[in-house]
């Protein structure tokens, strides 16, 4: 059976479904054994935390307001007890339900600075010393906070100490439904022992370590929560399994469709590459997305470049003269046929035939190798001194032809004159064998009245004969009748 993306996706889904089912079953069995849900963080518990923090923050805000008052700093730095008492009385008039004390810094309590900073959290004063041991606190809770007072140089000058009764602290915990959890408000004591400040709920739930510990920042307290056993446990796990299965199915399905579309895109790019190779061309970029496909595609692209290069070389060899490396007669005829079709549209083209003077004498005197060298150099000279748009061809022997596209006869005569003036007067056929270079030419133009493609060539050939009869090393012109 052949693999497909659909089969692979189905196998992946079944494997993930097996792992999910095993995980859900293991979690369910573990929960049933322990009979408790994961740590409780329901809205009621979080609301209790927020209200307790609100109480502590109000006390810290009161202390911070007093500590920042300029008279507070003055009262701590003055030696007048009367002035300090007057300021404290003034403060208490604004906060009648709180006990405020100002503790100036002295040599006896200078060492308290670090401890004072640490004790600046809000905490409850336990009026029964046994509460630290037994874990039972008095129902009457007084909250205390201590804040340092510094001067403009950030030097510690004393402390603001505030005591305030908060009888409602114990009542806050009762907002949690009694059957849902057992909650304790605990305060850290010496030796890491926690005293219970307030409690609410069914204490029989306290059979193990707290499921949830909620720290209360800037206080010495924490909330310990023991949740009640979960009801409808099986239904919850079945619902979780169904939800997770649907999510896996959606993810696998999306992955399948995206991968299928990406593969189709890459296969289209490969097909486009093969089509381009057939037409001897390559694009700069192909839309291949997958890295794995890209590696194979790059190999095919390089092979395509080699094939196209080879085909172009073969095509070039078929159209180029192997000796002079200019176009051959076949290419000349194709070009002439192409330009002849444009004459009816009003285009004008010119034609120059060149014949190397005394070429036979070179062959007879120095041999055919020297004659070949003369052909090679003459072709190179033509390419170096003509426009890139001009079409150069060797018709045979020492006869060359230049087509000037979109060029009237008068302009072609100027180009011929420039070519003749730029040509070297002498070339070297071989080491120590100089040769005076000269050539004769016949110039004509294609005319829209011509009925045959070779009529312009015939006129240029007749003009070349005139140049030779007139003494060579010159160019004759012959316009259309």
């Amino acid at each position: 059976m052949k693999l497909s993306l659909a089969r692979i996706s189905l196998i992946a889904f079944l494997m993930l479904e097996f792992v999910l089912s095993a995980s859900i079953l293991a979690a369910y069995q573990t929960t049933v054994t322990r009979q408790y849900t994961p740590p409780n963080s329901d809205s009621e518990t979080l609301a209790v935390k927020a209200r307790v923090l609100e109480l502590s923050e109000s006390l810290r805000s009161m202390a911070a307001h007093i500590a920042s008052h300029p008279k507070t700093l003055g009262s701590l730095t003055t030696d007048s007890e009367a002035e300090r008492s007057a300021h404290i009385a003034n403060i208490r008039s604004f906060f009648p339900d709180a006990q405020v004390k100002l503790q100036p810094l002295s040599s006896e309590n200078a060492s308290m600075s670090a401890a004072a900073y640490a004790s600046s959290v809000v905490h409850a004063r336990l009026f029964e010393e046994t509460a630290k041991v037994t874990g039972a606190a008095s129902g009457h809770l007084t909250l205390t906070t201590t804040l340092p007072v510094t001067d403009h140089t950030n030097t510690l000058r004393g402390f603001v100490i505030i005591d305030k009764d908060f009888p409602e602290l114990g009542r806050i915990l009762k907002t949690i439904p009694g059957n849902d959890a057992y909650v304790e408000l605990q305060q850290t004591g010496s030796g890491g022992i926690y005293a219970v400040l307030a409690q609410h709920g069914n204490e029989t739930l306290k059979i193990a370590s707290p499921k949830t510990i909620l720290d209360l920042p800037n206080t010495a307290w924490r909330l310990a929560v023991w949740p009640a056993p979960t009801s409808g446990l099986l239904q919850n796990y079945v619902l979780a399994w169904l939800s997770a299965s649907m999510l896996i199915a959606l993810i696998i399905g999306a992955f399948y469709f995206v991968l299928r579309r990406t593969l189709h895109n890459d296969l289209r790019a490969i097909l486009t590459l093969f089509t381009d190779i057939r037409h001897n061309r390559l694009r700069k970029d192909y839309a291949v997305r997958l890295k794995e496909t890209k590696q194979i595609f790059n190999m095919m692209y390089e092979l395509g470049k080699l094939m196209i290069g080879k085909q172009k070389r073969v095509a070039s060899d078929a159209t180029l003269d192997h000796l002079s490396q200019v176009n051959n007669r076949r290419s000349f005829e194709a070009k002439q046929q192409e330009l002849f079709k444009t004459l009816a549209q009003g285009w004008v083209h010119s034609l120059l035939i060149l014949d190397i003077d005394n070429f036979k004498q070179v062959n007879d005197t120095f041999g055919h190798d020297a004659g070949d060298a003369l052909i090679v150099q003459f072709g190179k000279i033509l390419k170096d001194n003509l426009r890139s748009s001009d079409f150069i061809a060797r018709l045979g022997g020492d006869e060359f032809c230049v087509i000037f596209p979109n060029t009237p006869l008068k302009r072609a005569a100027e180009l011929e004159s420039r070519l003749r003036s730029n040509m070297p007067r002498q070339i070297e056929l071989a080491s120590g064998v100089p040769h005076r270079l000269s050539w004769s030419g016949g110039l004509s133009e294609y005319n829209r009245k011509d009925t045959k493609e070779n009529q312009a060539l015939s006129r240029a050939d007749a003009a070349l004969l005139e140049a030779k009869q007139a003494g060579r090393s010159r160019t004759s012109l012959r316009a259309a009748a």
Side-chain angles (χ1 to χ4, degrees):
M1 182 174 61
K2 293 184 178 180
L3 287 177
S4 66
L5 286 179
R7 288 194 178 95
I8 293 175
S9 300
L10 178 60
I11 292 172
F13 172 77
L14 293 176
M15 292 177 63
L16 290 175
E17 189 67 17
F18 174 77
V19 173
L20 172 66
S21 302
S23 301
I24 292 289
L25 180 60
Y28 173 73
Q29 290 176 343
T30 302
T31 306
V32 168
T33 302
R34 298 177 61 184
Q35 296 183 352
Y36 291 99
T37 60
N40 191 316
S41 59
D42 57 23
S43 58
E44 291 87 357
T45 305
L46 295 177
V48 167
K49 176 182 177 180
R51 293 184 64 186
V52 172
L53 288 177
E54 184 179 352
L55 288 179
S56 67
E57 187 59 31
S58 67
L59 188 62
R60 285 177 56 82
S61 177
M62 181 190 305
H65 179 73
I66 297 172
S68 62
H69 198 283
K71 286 190 176 183
T72 300
L73 178 62
S75 301
L76 290 173
T77 56
T78 183
D79 294 332
S80 172
E81 187 65 31
E83 183 180 347
R84 185 179 301 111
S85 299
H87 183 57
I88 293 175
N90 187 36
I91 293 174
R92 288 175 178 172
S93 67
F94 287 99
F95 306 102
D97 57 343
Q99 297 182 11
V100 181
K101 292 190 293 183
L102 298 181
Q103 179 67 50
L105 190 68
S106 62
S107 57
E108 290 78 9
N109 61 16
S111 60
M112 292 175 51
S113 58
Y117 278 105
S119 65
S120 62
V121 299
V122 177
H123 61 283
R125 294 180 58 190
L126 306 178
F127 291 93
E128 297 180 9
E129 187 65 22
T130 57
K132 297 182 181 180
V133 178
T134 63
S138 170
H140 178 64
L141 295 178
T142 298
L143 306 188
T144 302
T145 188
T146 303
L147 284 183
V149 179
T150 59
D151 58 16
H152 67 282
T153 63
N154 206 30
T155 302
L156 182 65
R157 294 298 186 181
F159 309 94
V160 173
I161 304 173
I162 299 180
D163 294 335
K164 188 174 186 301
D165 290 340
F166 276 104
E168 66 269 28
L169 188 61
R171 295 196 296 270
I172 291 176
L173 269 66
K174 296 181 180 180
T175 59
I176 298 179
N179 294 329
D180 287 350
Y182 172 67
V183 185
E184 290 183 351
L185 178 63
Q186 301 176 346
Q187 176 170 295
T188 182
S190 60
I193 299 176
Y194 283 91
V196 179
L197 302 182
Q199 60 193 39
H200 174 69
N202 182 6
E203 194 170 359
T204 60
L205 297 176
K206 192 177 179 180
I207 58 175
S209 300
K211 296 296 180 180
T212 300
I213 297 295
L214 299 179
D215 291 323
L216 303 177
N218 297 319
T219 71
W221 307 327
R222 71 179 188 180
L223 283 173
V225 182
W226 287 264
T230 304
S231 59
L233 186 63
L234 179 60
Q235 294 87 338
N236 292 337
Y237 273 96
V238 170
L239 181 61
W241 175 76
L242 290 174
S243 301
S245 297
M246 291 180 61
L247 180 61
I248 291 175
L250 289 175
I251 293 175
I252 293 294
F255 175 78
Y256 164 73
F257 284 109
V258 170
L259 183 58
R260 187 181 69 169
R261 186 171 60 181
T262 304
L263 280 176
H264 285 179
N265 173 82
D266 289 359
L267 290 175
R268 283 194 298 269
I270 293 174
L271 181 60
T272 302
L273 174 65
F274 279 116
T275 304
D276 289 346
I277 292 175
R278 282 188 57 197
H279 292 87
N280 293 330
R281 67 189 181 195
L282 283 179
R283 307 180 188 190
K284 290 184 178 180
D285 186 39
Y286 291 85
V288 179
R289 298 178 183 175
L290 285 177
K291 181 179 179 181
E292 291 75 10
T293 310
K294 187 69 174 178
Q295 294 174 349
I296 300 174
F297 182 87
N298 288 339
M299 296 174 58
M300 298 172 62
Y301 186 85
E302 293 300 323
L303 289 174
K305 285 172 62 176
L306 293 175
M307 293 174 60
I308 291 176
K310 184 176 180 180
Q311 291 172 357
K312 287 183 176 180
R313 285 193 297 271
V314 171
S316 176
D317 291 342
T319 58
L320 284 182
D321 178 66
H322 73 282
L323 185 60
S324 62
Q325 290 301 298
V326 298
N327 294 288
N328 59 18
R329 179 142 197 152
R330 181 186 299 175
S331 298
F332 168 77
E333 291 174 351
K335 183 69 173 179
Q336 184 174 243
Q337 184 180 14
E338 173 191 337
L339 296 179
F340 186 77
K341 294 178 181 179
T342 65
L343 295 178
Q345 302 171 9
W347 294 98
V348 179
H349 316 291
S350 297
L351 174 68
L352 172 66
I353 294 181
L354 305 91
D355 202 354
I356 301 175
D357 294 336
N358 303 316
F359 180 73
K360 185 176 182 303
Q361 182 181 350
V362 172
N363 279 335
D364 294 342
T365 305
F366 302 106
H368 289 283
D369 288 343
D372 290 347
L374 177 55
I375 294 296
V376 171
Q377 294 191 55
F378 192 73
K380 184 179 185 307
I381 291 171
L382 290 178
K383 289 190 291 185
D384 292 343
N385 291 279
L386 288 170
R387 302 175 303 181
S388 59
S389 59
D390 297 332
F391 184 86
I392 308 170
R394 181 187 176 204
L395 301 183
D398 62 324
E399 190 173 49
F400 288 79
C401 182
V402 179
I403 295 179
F404 300 104
N406 308 324
T407 306
L409 187 60
K410 183 177 179 181
R411 175 57 179 158
E414 295 174 357
L415 295 174
E416 182 277 335
S417 178
R418 187 176 69 181
L419 171 64
R420 187 175 292 278
S421 62
N422 290 339
M423 278 234 180
R425 297 291 179 262
Q426 182 173 291
I427 61 175
E428 194 174 62
L429 301 179
S431 179
V433 182
H435 174 72
R436 180 179 177 277
L437 180 63
S438 66
W439 54 276
S440 301
L443 184 62
S444 185
E445 70 176 355
Y446 295 90
N447 191 278
R448 63 188 307 175
K449 295 181 181 179
D450 291 344
T451 58
K452 296 181 179 180
E453 299 172 1
N454 286 333
Q455 285 183 255
L457 180 62
S458 298
R459 289 192 294 270
D461 199 34
L464 173 61
L465 183 58
E466 291 177 2
K468 289 182 177 181
Q469 292 174 350
R472 300 182 184 276
S473 190
R474 66 194 65 201
T475 298
S476 297
L477 278 69
R478 178 167 293 194

